Amino acid sequence: MTQPSTNTTSGNTSPDTASAKELVAATDTGARDPRGAVGAFLAWSAFAWSAFQIWIASPLPYMAADFIPVPNNTDTRSIHLAFGLLLAYLAYPMRKSSPRDRIPAQDWALAALGVCAAMYLSVFAESIAERPGLPTFADLAVATAGLALVLEGARRALGMPLAIIAGIFLLYVFFGHMAPEVIAWKGASYGKAMSHMWITQEGVFGVALGVSTSMVFLFVLFGSLLERAGAGNYFIWVAFSLLGHMRGGPAKAAVVSSAMTGLVSGSSIANVVTTGTFTIPLMKRVGFPAEKAGAVEVASSTNGQLTPPVMGAAAFLMIEFVGISYIEVIKHAFLPAIIAYIALVYIVHLEACKAGLRGLPRAVARTRMRSLLVFTVNLLGIVILSGICYYFFSGLKNFAGAYTFWASAAVILAVYVGLVAYATKFPELGHSDQIDQLPVPGPVVKSGLYYLLPVVALIWCLTVERLSPGLSAFYASLLMFVILLTHKPLKALLRKQRDVRAQISEGMRDLKEGMVAGARNMIGISVATACAGIILGTVTLTGIGLVMAEFVEFISAGNLMLMLLFTAVISLILGMGLPTTANYIVVSSLMAPVIVSVGAAHGLIVPLIAVHLFVFYFGILADDTPPVGLAAYAAAAVSGGDPIRTGIQGFAYDIRTAILPFLFIFNTELLMVGIENWFHLLLVVASATTAMLLFAAATQGWLVTRALWWERAALLLIAFTLFRPGFWMDMAHPPLEKIDASKIYEVVEAMPGNTQVRVHVIGETLEGDAVDKVVMLPLGPRVGSGAERLSESAGLELRVEDGKYLVDNIAFGGPAERQKIDFDWEVADIQRKADRPAKQWMFLPALALLAVVVWAQRRRLAVARG
């Protein structure tokens, strides 16, 4: 196997690693790094942006409302974009050949224009409100300049694709009447278009920029502060110390550390460089080829954006688009993310088995029984400690009343000081690229337990206190301020070192650089959400979303699976050039409603969150899709391998992630939708995890030993059955039973509250086309007769003629109208779930077939060993 020649000493950076870090700078934070007064201005501008975002996320503006006006949405979004455009033009050069150590005069001018254009809406808010719909020449001039500056800022920070796509949508606004007939529209006047895109909150200053302002920035800043404090390095050491002794241990450590770093970083490229500079050389050392070592890191890092609670910027947009809380987003995303990572660890294990690789020797020998005992004790300790914390803080809230915040802060600070004091009993961790032998897990884990406090505080605020995401991130960031400023001086003081003052200065420098890094990480996201606002503005102004929906439904012939494949391909293609956030906005705004409606037409209830996660997953997978996958280029720069082969191998590892979205569309239990009790949850978790492991084994061609073709086919069949047992049960027992339309009122009246009813309708459109479809109509609380529930909740009234139940009235804007039901259509029948055996009974033949495969493989292995 290829052996690495990388240098692992802390003071040297290999040329490959340096080029990878340059790629991160060019794509994530800006390639410019001027010195002197200009560099200071750039840094302090970024610091000021972070400080402003901390201010508006905190309760402080309301506490100081008597002295300083509380900024509204218009103010905060304008200032947010002003900072984004300022830094986009100062930090990102116009061309690759542009200077990196200074800022040309034209970029200063463009930056100033960007600030003026973004602030126009806030400064002149009152005068604009007095003349709604009547833009002046100044309005139009600022809007024109602003849109051009946003497009150019997006080109600099994110490349040409997003700017081109947004430009095409903008051209469609004006020249839609010249488009092909299937998507043509009348076109808009210049004044109407510019006003819609810039002066109102329907375009650039709309939902996407609002989410970036109110939520995304704080989470990105929190991650930067956590990384600056040393948490990312700590996570890598912990993962390596716990897993390095296993087969392919460094590769398994790469997977786990990338999942943990996903809490800190929302960027797959930055994740590759952060963990890959350490893990890739170690993977090569134990025998992984360069391309496979890079591919493991790519697959791990791209999946980092799937890991709750941060999940990149797109997760926060789901809150607005789907209309659910952030806790719900985390709940739905948790199980697919976890089983995807478990499967990747297993894929690494299979690769190590196939190559006959071993882990690194442990510093301290440990028996399996002792390892199991330590794991059990630690798990029980975490559960007990979590219960104590929950009941303690619940009791503290009842005891302290209005002073709960200060009492909780005092307790947390006391715990923090105790954990820092405990950490001083163990050696300080070096940088991860200094690891040249397997460290002992105990001291490594104990040396940085205080890093977990901000993460715990964030999750506590989100899940227990149910605070808003922005306020939760504010309190977690506040705790990070304390840690950054004090953990090094405290350690020096407790260790009785003499450089306490120097450590205080270093803590202040760490805080400043963490604030600056957080703002620079947000440049691309801010201009991306502004640019995506152009696309959303076009959709709301022109109605292209409905036209595209009809077009896609037409070319897929109403087949849901074809539509899903079409959506996945679109996401992958767009994702090659667009960041995940922009890709998600474009595809979900056009495709999500169509998939839901087509699913309903086939009697399948597809929750909106399932479709949005579907798009999100494929947008992320584009980061390692050749030929453009930037994460693969970053990994190849570190490994010295071929970037295209690295990307192809990474995508092969990520096939397990690619099938998940299709599965949770048809089996929403994977998103924890419809879970009835704890046993049901455990069954879903166990079956889904087992299915994913078997799918990984089938794709890798190895279970106990190398698999024959029929064994691989059997493993795929078993995995599919465990993932979607209802497919086979539907063949044995139809899932729905048809009830005559004459009993519709009885059925609707008896149905539980807040559910949906399947109604089979037939009729004819105004164009004379025959319609025969099933629609899903919502039913509100179980109040009133069946006719009243249909009328009030579904917006549908019926009449009886010659024994037929015909549509008599449709509420304007109601669910029935949105399902495109028309007057005088006939209700042919109602469909409801049939009384049949539980679909989980299909697990039994699947597990029996698995036993046959395992028996055959073990027997063949025994024969081979003689």
Side-chain angles (χ1 to χ4, degrees), residues 309-566:
V310 177
M311 294 177 62
F316 300 100
L317 288 163
M318 287 183 202
I319 300 172
E320 300 293 332
F321 290 170
V322 183
I324 60 178
S325 69
Y326 192 55
I327 301 302
E328 291 292 308
V329 173
I330 292 174
K331 183 186 83 172
H332 296 314
F334 180 76
L335 182 56
I338 293 302
I339 63 176
Y341 266 112
I342 290 173
L344 186 55
V345 171
Y346 186 57
I347 286 173
V348 167
H349 176 75
L350 295 177
E351 287 282 15
C353 289
K354 288 191 286 186
L357 306 181
R358 298 290 176 187
L360 297 177
R362 277 182 166 179
V364 179
R366 182 185 290 179
T367 63
R368 288 189 178 181
M369 183 58 67
R370 178 173 171 78
S371 297
L372 182 61
L373 180 63
V374 170
F375 175 78
T376 305
V377 170
N378 288 335
L379 182 62
L380 288 175
I382 292 171
V383 172
I384 294 170
L385 185 61
S386 299
I388 291 172
C389 289
Y390 178 80
Y391 288 108
F392 173 80
F393 281 102
S394 298
L396 184 64
K397 187 184 298 185
N398 295 329
F399 173 76
Y403 299 97
T404 299
F405 172 78
W406 299 108
S408 300
V411 171
I412 291 171
L413 286 176
V415 172
Y416 162 66
V417 172
L419 290 175
V420 172
Y422 187 53
T424 59
K425 300 180 185 297
F426 305 98
E428 198 72 24
L429 298 179
H431 195 270
S432 57
D433 62 8
Q434 294 177 322
I435 301 177
D436 54 6
Q437 61 183 1
L438 194 62
V440 180
V444 170
V445 173
K446 296 168 185 175
S447 67
L449 287 172
Y450 62 91
Y451 287 128
L452 301 178
L453 275 179
V455 179
V456 172
L458 175 64
I459 296 172
W460 179 276
C461 290
L462 284 170
T463 58
V464 179
E465 298 297 330
R466 296 300 179 104
L467 301 180
S468 68
L471 192 57
S472 300
F474 165 74
Y475 285 126
S477 299
L478 205 60
L479 183 52
M480 279 309 310
F481 288 174
V482 175
I483 292 176
L484 278 163
L485 290 172
T486 63
H487 77 118
K488 290 180 179 178
L490 268 176
K491 286 181 179 178
L493 195 64
L494 292 167
R495 287 171 174 159
K496 297 181 180 180
Q497 297 171 345
R498 296 182 178 180
D499 60 342
V500 176
R501 287 187 178 180
Q503 297 297 334
I504 292 173
S505 299
E506 189 170 342
M508 295 176 68
R509 185 166 59 251
D510 286 343
L511 176 58
K512 179 199 169 186
E513 292 183 1
M515 296 274 279
V516 171
R520 292 193 68 153
N521 287 337
M522 272 299 300
I523 299 172
I525 296 175
S526 65
V527 294
T529 50
C531 206
I534 298 174
I535 298 168
L536 290 175
T538 302
V539 172
T540 56
L541 179 63
T542 66
I544 182 63
L546 294 175
V547 175
M548 285 295 294
E550 293 175 356
F551 177 69
V552 170
E553 191 171 357
F554 170 75
I555 63 173
S556 64
N559 186 295
L560 183 60
M561 182 56 73
L562 284 178
M563 193 171 296
L564 291 172
L565 287 170
F566 186 74

Side-chain angles (χ1 to χ4, degrees), residues 691 694 713-723 845-851 853:
L694 294 176
L715 289 173
L716 288 174
L717 180 63
I718 297 164
F720 177 77
T721 303
L722 294 178
F723 267 130
L847 294 175
L849 180 58
L850 176 61
V853 173

Side-chain angles (χ1 to χ4, degrees), residues 17 20-21 24 268-278 297 301 634 638:
T17 301
K21 291 183 177 178
V24 175
S268 55
I269 303 169
N271 202 338
V272 165
V273 175
T274 302
T275 57
T277 51
F278 141 72
E297 185 57 51
S301 298
V638 178

Side-chain angles (χ1 to χ4, degrees), residues 26 28 61 121 123 212 284 306 321 328 364 410 435 461 501 513 548 604 607 627 705 708 741:
D28 280 357
L121 206 62
V123 173
S212 177
K284 292 172 68 178
L306 303 176
F321 290 170
E328 291 292 308
V364 179
I435 301 177
C461 290
R501 287 187 178 180
E513 292 183 1
M548 285 295 294
L604 179 67
T705 184
L708 302 176

